[in-house]
Amino acid sequence: MTAPQTSPEKTILRALAGEALPTPPVWMMRQAGRYLPEYRATRAQAGDFLKLCYTPELAAEVTLQPIRRFGFDAAILFADILLVPQALGADLWFVTGEGPRLSTLSDRAGLDRLKPVSAIHETLNPVYETLRILTGELPRETTLIGFAGGPWTVATYMIAGRGTPDQGPAHALMRENRAVFEALMARLTEATVEYLSAQIMAGAEVVKLFDSWAGSLRGEEFHRYALEPAREIIAALKTRHPDVPVIAFPRQAGEHYIGFARATGADCVALDNSVSAEWAAAHVQVDGCVQGNLDPRHMVTGGPELVEETRRIVRAFSGGPHIFNLGHGITPEADPDNVARMIEAIREPGA
Ligand code: CP3
């Protein structure tokens, strides 16, 4: 694939424009997080996770920490996909050691209680301020990535009021009250467009859509509730910001990864580690840039296997545009030294 050369110093933007680089650029999902002692210190200073998200100076600080320590090619905004439900009026809190809790939404009355999409910026303004701070502080070669959750993934948390292993409550609402379910999906799709557009205006150079639970949607449901909302969001963003690339992450999409970029207009598809890099190179990378997909467990276990797996993934995707990443977020038990080893293995000559 031939592509124009964009911002030569920003390798992430070059890969997203379709360039196969001799060394793939690299960043990591959840790169700002509890595996880093400096993150834990700043989080303690903030008091709790949501305070950290809504205090722009501290959110910018934790965004920068992994860039300073490892020299990643991209910085991802520090925030959370669940700030959107909160901005729409849901209650949100985090239980230490357990994860997020929200007020639940299961009927028309719950839907009617949500705020209009135009009200989200009142809550989300500090996130835009974080981006504005970061645009002045990042090294010139580092790309700033904004993000939001996919409507289906965000809906699963809003409906159940928490994370669920099988997204059962959201599937149940979809079957039992499709009108309410689809109205919620429409509200989230619209809110996501406004949120990502505001992030771009505040300085995000790329945006990523995290549809972490897309894999629990089967057949036609995947098409209607993962692919179609992504297509709508990307089309609306491209009308307003034609030059800003979008990365889509329909996690555990399996066979549905094939053609996803073409069908949605995404510039890049992020791959989880349930698909092999060799399969994805043959079936997904043929359409353009891919991101992924080292198993995050290697950040805990390390050793020669980490280096071998990293090299194998680099090799498998070397024929086309590729951004190196993990298949999912790095976990709190990970050893920062293993992150450094992964980066070394990617950047060593002749890897
Ligand atoms: O990647 C980054 O470094 C940027 C920041 C970021 C966070 N969450 C910070 C965070 C991003 C991009 C997210 C996305 C997110 N949040 C997703 C989609 C990606 C995925 O992991 O599948 C989801 C599903 C959420 C919702 C969420 N936030 C859960 C389920 C949890 C609890 C699980 C956990 O790891 O504790 C969170 C909390 C959260 N979001 C933390 C961080 C750093 C840990 C909070 C803490 O410091 O205690």
Side-chain angles (χ1 to χ4, degrees):
M1 184 183 298
T2 55
Q5 298 242 327
T6 41
S7 314
E9 70 277 11
K10 299 219 186 209
T11 48
I12 296 268
L13 294 179
R14 286 169 61 185
L16 288 169
E19 209 180 319
L21 294 154
T23 298
V26 54
W27 68 281
M28 239 176 26
M29 283 186 260
R30 290 278 174 99
Q31 63 190 19
R34 285 163 292 182
Y35 75 104
L36 288 179
E38 58 268 38
Y39 170 85
R40 295 196 298 270
T42 310
R43 186 179 182 280
Q45 191 190 336
D48 67 45
F49 173 68
L50 283 174
K51 272 267 187 54
L52 183 52
C53 291
Y54 288 122
T55 308
E57 293 72 25
L58 297 183
E61 165 59 22
V62 294
T63 305
L64 290 166
Q65 286 168 350
I67 308 306
R68 287 192 206 113
R69 191 192 262 255
F70 302 113
F72 284 118
D73 296 295
I76 182 158
L77 164 71
F78 190 84
D80 197 84
I81 66 164
L82 300 177
L83 304 187
V84 167
Q86 189 176 37
L88 286 168
D91 296 327
L92 171 68
W93 66 102
F94 282 80
V95 180
T96 308
E98 289 188 33
R101 294 288 182 276
L102 301 89
S103 44
T104 58
L105 191 158
S106 56
D107 54 17
R108 176 65 59 180
L111 196 64
D112 291 343
R113 276 195 296 274
L114 294 181
K115 295 181 192 172
V117 167
S118 59
I120 62 170
H121 306 303
E122 265 166 54
T123 303
L124 298 170
N125 267 322
V127 176
Y128 313 143
E129 183 55 24
T130 304
L131 288 163
R132 282 190 287 268
I133 295 172
L134 286 166
T135 56
E137 301 212 350
L138 281 171
R140 43 182 288 148
E141 67 275 13
T142 314
T143 303
L144 181 54
I145 303 180
F147 74 93
W152 160 249
T153 292
V154 175
T156 66
Y157 288 95
M158 289 181 84
I159 293 163
R162 58 188 298 163
T164 44
D166 55 359
Q167 297 72 60
H171 283 283
L173 185 67
M174 184 199 295
R175 280 192 305 271
E176 287 155 20
N177 197 339
R178 197 171 289 263
V180 164
F181 173 77
E182 292 199 342
L184 176 61
M185 289 289 289
R187 185 79 64 99
L188 288 171
T189 300
E190 191 191 336
T192 305
V193 170
E194 297 308 320
Y195 182 41
L196 291 176
S197 184
Q199 289 187 28
I200 291 166
M201 288 188 290
E205 299 170 285
V206 172
V207 292
K208 178 167 173 186
L209 202 53
F210 285 90
D211 211 354
S212 302
W213 300 119
S216 79
L217 295 167
R218 297 274 161 250
E220 179 58 18
E221 286 176 354
F222 181 90
H223 189 91
R224 280 169 77 172
Y225 304 128
L227 189 150
E228 190 53 27
R231 191 195 62 73
E232 270 178 53
I233 291 164
I234 293 167
L237 290 174
K238 293 285 180 186
T239 310
R240 299 189 205 178
H241 317 280
D243 299 328
V244 175
V246 182
I247 303 172
F249 183 36
R251 190 168 74 93
Q252 300 201 324
E255 296 279 322
H256 292 296
Y257 277 127
I258 300 172
F260 195 84
R262 245 179 305 140
T264 59
D267 300 272
C268 175
V269 175
L271 304 159
D272 70 87
N273 49 276
S274 70
V275 294
S276 82
E278 291 75 13
W279 176 87
H283 298 283
V284 188
Q285 198 186 26
V286 287
D287 286 338
C289 190
V290 291
Q291 179 179 281
N293 70 344
L294 182 69
D295 189 333
R297 88 183 155 81
H298 292 294
M299 296 297 104
V300 181
T301 54
E305 215 196 332
L306 157 64
V307 174
E308 282 157 29
E309 276 294 288
T310 300
R311 287 184 183 150
R312 184 182 62 80
I313 291 166
V314 169
R315 235 182 355 259
F317 289 126
S318 62
H322 175 220
I323 298 169
F324 197 98
N325 206 307
L326 305 180
H328 201 193
I330 186 166
T331 54
E333 322 79 69
D335 180 347
D337 288 345
N338 288 332
V339 177
R341 276 190 205 107
M342 171 188 80
I343 295 175
E344 240 171 60
I346 295 165
R347 292 181 178 165
E348 75 197 351

